[in-house]
Amino acid sequence: MAYNVTLIPGDGIGPELTEATRRVLEATGVKFNWDIVNAGVDVIEEYGTPLPDHVIESIRTNKVALKGPITTPVGYGFRSVNVSMRKILDLYTCLRPCKSYAGTPTIFNDIDLVIVRENTEDLYAGIEFENGTPEAAEIIQAIEKLSGNKIRKDSGISIKPISVTGTERIVRFAFEYARANNRRKVTALHKANIMKFTDGLFLAVARQVAEKYPDIEFEDRIIDNMTMQMVKNPAQFDVIVCPNLYGDIISDLGAGLVGGLGLAPGANIGDEAALFEPTHGSAPKYKGMNKANPMAQMLSGVMMLRHLGENEAAQRLDAAIAAVIKEGKRITYDLLPEDKRSQAVGTSQVADAIIEKLG
Ligand code: NAD
């Protein structure tokens, strides 16, 4: 049987990475019918939007998608296509494992943690009011009336909604994931000391959900303290569950701890569909240079194989990637110390090396 999977190459380094990943996935022997559709700045001219309806329809139909990174203009232009996809499809969980692979130039070699980030709420809900607009003036007036707090008239406003419903389902996901994967502990992140009605709610609901899982240890950390502890002693953490913004930041921190963004995969999972993509972005400066590390994209493919129930193929691909890293001969520049970067190979050569290991 072949799996129907939506393939979104993305932009920047995305097309090179997804092509390398498609090759290694097919080399596992698992069969795919790829429905290749695109989104992002390059399709605006043709479809009048960076996220055409047929892209969403394809994911809804196939229920599984592999996606390359997509560029978002900073501070102007269209809203993030990535955030929109997650919202439209209600992909409420962002799952990001951070695992040490032997041979990477890092301080720690014993990290094996999983970040479970809420994907639809918080300051990333996309509810914003631009400074100077009538809408911003109205919301400022309403907030002043309701809260008694003064807000400067020339402010922009971003809204941070965190709900009981959204928190319950993400924390439940974290505990279910912990149980299914023999994990021992869940740590919830927050800033409940300052934001009592949003992060405070997140913590209170997390504590309630935790009571239903007495077999899994539960603890919480204030986010600023967490960043320090993750850098000092990351091995103490196992499954981490958090609201959207902290999850975004802590994911890059986790990626840095295990050797960089080139090794950090991810999945966006909802009740109806799942979309697999690396933590990193489109790295536009490396576009078309056959230089970027495809392993985060490939490891997202490993997560996709597991999601499809192809555990043996997932295990073999993960082991082949690990073997290429350990050997250290055919790896991209980012996995090499500065003085050895001239020995780096390109994106497609990494795929060749992994396919060789798959045999
Ligand atoms: P980035 O992740 O693209 O790059 C950060 C740094 O890591 C850069 O130095 C880059 O060269 C390096 N890097 C990233 N991936 C790499 C890889 N596979 N191999 C080697 N080096 C790699 O982050 P950015 O520069 O902040 O963002 C660029 C664009 O990507 C922005 O438009 C941003 O909005 C977008 N973005 C998209 C996604 C997504 O599609 N899910 C996620 C994050 C950022």
Short mmCIF file of all heavy atoms in Angstrom, two decimals, residues 81-105:
data_model
loop_
_atom_site.label_atom_id
_atom_site.label_comp_id
_atom_site.label_asym_id
_atom_site.label_seq_id
_atom_site.Cartn_x
_atom_site.Cartn_y
_atom_site.Cartn_z
N VAL A 81 2.27 32.04 7.00
CA VAL A 81 1.55 30.92 6.39
C VAL A 81 1.58 29.72 7.35
O VAL A 81 0.62 28.96 7.47
CB VAL A 81 2.21 30.54 5.04
CG1 VAL A 81 1.64 29.25 4.50
CG2 VAL A 81 2.02 31.67 4.05
N ASN A 82 2.70 29.57 8.03
CA ASN A 82 2.87 28.44 8.95
C ASN A 82 1.87 28.52 10.09
O ASN A 82 1.21 27.54 10.43
CB ASN A 82 4.30 28.44 9.50
CG ASN A 82 5.31 28.56 8.38
OD1 ASN A 82 5.33 27.74 7.48
ND2 ASN A 82 6.12 29.61 8.40
N VAL A 83 1.75 29.73 10.67
CA VAL A 83 0.81 29.91 11.78
C VAL A 83 -0.63 29.72 11.26
O VAL A 83 -1.46 29.07 11.91
CB VAL A 83 0.99 31.31 12.41
CG1 VAL A 83 -0.09 31.58 13.45
CG2 VAL A 83 2.38 31.43 13.04
N SER A 84 -0.91 30.27 10.06
CA SER A 84 -2.28 30.14 9.50
C SER A 84 -2.65 28.68 9.29
O SER A 84 -3.75 28.25 9.63
CB SER A 84 -2.38 30.85 8.15
OG SER A 84 -2.13 32.20 8.31
N MET A 85 -1.74 27.89 8.72
CA MET A 85 -2.02 26.47 8.48
C MET A 85 -2.38 25.78 9.79
O MET A 85 -3.31 25.00 9.86
CB MET A 85 -0.78 25.77 7.92
CG MET A 85 -0.68 25.81 6.44
SD MET A 85 0.75 24.81 5.97
CE MET A 85 0.99 25.45 4.34
N ARG A 86 -1.59 26.05 10.82
CA ARG A 86 -1.83 25.40 12.12
C ARG A 86 -3.19 25.79 12.67
O ARG A 86 -3.90 24.96 13.23
CB ARG A 86 -0.74 25.81 13.12
CG ARG A 86 0.62 25.26 12.75
CD ARG A 86 1.74 25.91 13.56
NE ARG A 86 3.01 25.75 12.91
CZ ARG A 86 4.09 26.48 13.15
NH1 ARG A 86 4.06 27.43 14.05
NH2 ARG A 86 5.21 26.27 12.51
N LYS A 87 -3.56 27.07 12.46
CA LYS A 87 -4.85 27.52 12.98
C LYS A 87 -6.01 26.94 12.19
O LYS A 87 -6.97 26.41 12.75
CB LYS A 87 -4.92 29.06 12.92
CG LYS A 87 -4.38 29.73 14.16
CD LYS A 87 -4.70 31.19 14.21
CE LYS A 87 -6.03 31.44 14.88
NZ LYS A 87 -6.34 32.88 15.00
N ILE A 88 -5.92 27.02 10.85
CA ILE A 88 -7.03 26.56 10.00
C ILE A 88 -7.30 25.07 10.23
O ILE A 88 -8.44 24.63 10.31
CB ILE A 88 -6.72 26.83 8.51
CG1 ILE A 88 -6.68 28.34 8.25
CG2 ILE A 88 -7.76 26.17 7.60
CD1 ILE A 88 -6.13 28.73 6.89
N LEU A 89 -6.23 24.30 10.34
CA LEU A 89 -6.39 22.84 10.49
C LEU A 89 -6.48 22.41 11.96
O LEU A 89 -6.56 21.22 12.25
CB LEU A 89 -5.23 22.12 9.80
CG LEU A 89 -5.20 22.28 8.27
CD1 LEU A 89 -3.81 21.97 7.72
CD2 LEU A 89 -6.24 21.39 7.60
N ASP A 90 -6.44 23.39 12.84
CA ASP A 90 -6.46 23.13 14.28
C ASP A 90 -5.40 22.09 14.68
O ASP A 90 -5.68 21.12 15.39
CB ASP A 90 -7.87 22.69 14.74
CG ASP A 90 -8.03 22.86 16.26
OD1 ASP A 90 -7.28 23.68 16.85
OD2 ASP A 90 -8.87 22.16 16.85
N LEU A 91 -4.19 22.32 14.19
CA LEU A 91 -3.06 21.44 14.54
C LEU A 91 -2.53 21.95 15.89
O LEU A 91 -1.57 22.70 15.95
CB LEU A 91 -1.99 21.51 13.45
CG LEU A 91 -2.48 21.17 12.03
CD1 LEU A 91 -1.38 21.44 11.01
CD2 LEU A 91 -2.94 19.73 11.95
N TYR A 92 -3.20 21.57 16.94
CA TYR A 92 -2.99 22.26 18.22
C TYR A 92 -1.73 21.84 18.97
O TYR A 92 -1.32 22.49 19.92
CB TYR A 92 -4.23 22.11 19.11
CG TYR A 92 -4.59 20.70 19.49
CD1 TYR A 92 -4.03 20.10 20.60
CD2 TYR A 92 -5.52 19.98 18.74
CE1 TYR A 92 -4.37 18.80 20.96
CE2 TYR A 92 -5.87 18.68 19.09
CZ TYR A 92 -5.29 18.10 20.20
OH TYR A 92 -5.63 16.81 20.54
N THR A 93 -1.11 20.75 18.54
CA THR A 93 0.12 20.31 19.21
C THR A 93 1.32 20.51 18.31
O THR A 93 1.31 20.07 17.16
CB THR A 93 0.06 18.81 19.55
OG1 THR A 93 -1.05 18.58 20.39
CG2 THR A 93 1.33 18.36 20.24
N CYS A 94 2.34 21.14 18.83
CA CYS A 94 3.62 21.17 18.13
C CYS A 94 4.58 20.31 18.94
O CYS A 94 4.89 20.62 20.09
CB CYS A 94 4.14 22.60 18.03
SG CYS A 94 5.65 22.69 17.09
N LEU A 95 4.99 19.22 18.34
CA LEU A 95 5.82 18.24 19.04
C LEU A 95 7.25 18.36 18.52
O LEU A 95 7.48 18.22 17.31
CB LEU A 95 5.25 16.85 18.71
CG LEU A 95 5.76 15.64 19.46
CD1 LEU A 95 5.48 15.74 20.94
CD2 LEU A 95 5.09 14.38 18.90
N ARG A 96 8.18 18.65 19.41
CA ARG A 96 9.56 18.87 18.98
C ARG A 96 10.56 18.11 19.86
O ARG A 96 10.94 18.57 20.93
CB ARG A 96 9.87 20.36 19.00
CG ARG A 96 9.15 21.09 17.87
CD ARG A 96 9.36 22.55 17.90
NE ARG A 96 8.99 23.16 16.63
CZ ARG A 96 8.92 24.45 16.41
NH1 ARG A 96 9.20 25.30 17.39
NH2 ARG A 96 8.59 24.93 15.24
N PRO A 97 11.00 16.96 19.40
CA PRO A 97 11.99 16.21 20.16
C PRO A 97 13.39 16.84 20.02
O PRO A 97 13.73 17.34 18.95
CB PRO A 97 12.00 14.81 19.49
CG PRO A 97 10.93 14.84 18.45
CD PRO A 97 10.59 16.26 18.17
N CYS A 98 14.15 16.84 21.08
CA CYS A 98 15.55 17.29 21.04
C CYS A 98 16.39 16.15 21.59
O CYS A 98 16.34 15.87 22.80
CB CYS A 98 15.76 18.53 21.90
SG CYS A 98 14.73 19.91 21.42
N LYS A 99 17.14 15.52 20.71
CA LYS A 99 17.88 14.31 21.12
C LYS A 99 19.35 14.47 20.71
O LYS A 99 19.63 14.91 19.60
CB LYS A 99 17.25 13.11 20.40
CG LYS A 99 17.75 11.77 20.85
CD LYS A 99 16.91 10.64 20.29
CE LYS A 99 17.47 10.13 19.00
NZ LYS A 99 16.87 8.89 18.52
N SER A 100 20.25 14.07 21.60
CA SER A 100 21.68 14.11 21.27
C SER A 100 22.03 12.98 20.32
O SER A 100 21.60 11.83 20.52
CB SER A 100 22.54 13.93 22.52
OG SER A 100 22.25 14.89 23.48
N TYR A 101 22.80 13.28 19.28
CA TYR A 101 23.35 12.24 18.40
C TYR A 101 24.85 12.24 18.57
O TYR A 101 25.48 13.31 18.53
CB TYR A 101 22.99 12.53 16.93
CG TYR A 101 21.54 12.19 16.60
CD1 TYR A 101 20.55 13.15 16.71
CD2 TYR A 101 21.19 10.90 16.20
CE1 TYR A 101 19.22 12.84 16.44
CE2 TYR A 101 19.86 10.58 15.92
CZ TYR A 101 18.89 11.55 16.03
OH TYR A 101 17.59 11.23 15.76
N ALA A 102 25.43 11.04 18.78
CA ALA A 102 26.88 10.94 18.98
C ALA A 102 27.61 11.50 17.77
O ALA A 102 27.24 11.21 16.63
CB ALA A 102 27.26 9.47 19.18
N GLY A 103 28.61 12.34 18.02
CA GLY A 103 29.40 12.88 16.93
C GLY A 103 29.12 14.35 16.66
O GLY A 103 29.84 14.99 15.90
N THR A 104 28.07 14.90 17.28
CA THR A 104 27.79 16.34 17.07
C THR A 104 28.66 17.16 18.02
O THR A 104 28.88 16.77 19.17
CB THR A 104 26.31 16.68 17.33
OG1 THR A 104 25.86 15.91 18.45
CG2 THR A 104 25.45 16.35 16.15
N PRO A 105 29.15 18.29 17.55
CA PRO A 105 30.02 19.12 18.41
C PRO A 105 29.20 19.93 19.41
O PRO A 105 28.85 21.08 19.18
CB PRO A 105 30.72 20.04 17.40
CG PRO A 105 29.81 20.11 16.22
CD PRO A 105 28.94 18.89 16.23
#
